Amino acid sequence: MWSVVVHGGAGVWSESEKFSAVKDTILKSLEAGASVLRAGGSALDAVVESVMVLEDSGVLNAGVGSYPNLLGEIEMDAGVMDGKSLRAGAVGCIRNVKNPVLAAKLVLEKTDHVLLVGEWASRFALSMGLPALNSDRSKGLLKYRDLVRRFEEGDTRYKSNLALYKQYPHLFHETVGAVALDIEGNLASATSTGGLALKLPGRVGDSPLIGAGTYADSNIAVSATGIGEYIMLLGVGVRASQYAENGLPANTVAEKIIALLTSRFGINSGGLIALDKNGVIGISFNTPGMARGYYSSEMSEPYAMVP
Ligand code: ASP
């Protein structure tokens, strides 16, 4: 049996005009992962293919769609983990690379490290031949700082967005992630993000931190989304692995993790996708929405839900 589960971020999901584009993207991402798995490919390759589709979509907060930091610059994070070998690769605060998930995979495959950050992560990825993020985008970002200032002062035609932003300052996030089980019974996880909107330059979130936002072993694979600081503080990935080691199925693991997140940090703090070695799927979130979907060898077509 094979299976793949993806998310497009837990959050407010206020722009309904985006829903159908996001749903199409989730379906394409599931198909990309499924075609690897159907052909007997590895769970690791499948999650990377799925996440690349999400990064390239431009409608989610990862890759080309990444939110800028407070200075209007794009700094992205990504992590991948192979449950079979317990090897992982990740990049933090990477700039100018189109697919951070591929950079993370290269860290896993080509280095003796788990996490590369900042300028040298970008240099590493570009010198390994990864394509750059389209530089045209930076022109549009020049005005960003001024726009943020005007937005916060209330000088905006987006009155509802402003109210939402003031009510949920952290919740403008639509990180992406995937977990997969291949026909050999191996699990893998990948997560990629532009991080929280208006984050401080240099901030690294939970997604590239193995054991926090991304984790996979021989029992379970998880990818988290939400306020990265909280996900780190609870060590979500490692905790999920411990629950699974104690025999809990992925659906119970996801529910327990989100219940814990809610009890410690309140609602609107995050979401989790999980997949265990028996193919049980877990999806849970405490935000108004989370784009999500799954596809397995037992299903005739992929399933996606937004928000
Ligand atoms: N967890 C991500 C971060 O804190 C944000 C998100 O999930 O949208 O960087």
Side-chain angles (χ1 to χ4, degrees), residues 61 77 173-175 193 195-196 203 205-207 224-229 231:
N61 175 23
D77 298 334
H173 48 66
E174 295 117 24
T175 291
T193 185
L196 297 181
R203 180 262 190 190
D206 59 301
S207 312
T225 163
I227 300 170
E229 284 69 11
I231 295 166

Side-chain angles (χ1 to χ4, degrees), residues 9 29 31 38 54-55 59 68 83 86 93 110 119 122 138 159 171 183 187 189 205 214 216 252 271 286-287 291:
S29 157
E31 190 46 63
R38 236 185 252 120
L54 302 169
E55 287 179 335
V59 292
L86 266 197
C93 272
K110 308 272 186 210
E119 187 191 337
S122 314
S138 58
K159 296 288 178 212
L171 278 184
I183 54 176
L187 293 155
S189 165
T214 302
T252 313
N286 64 14
T287 50

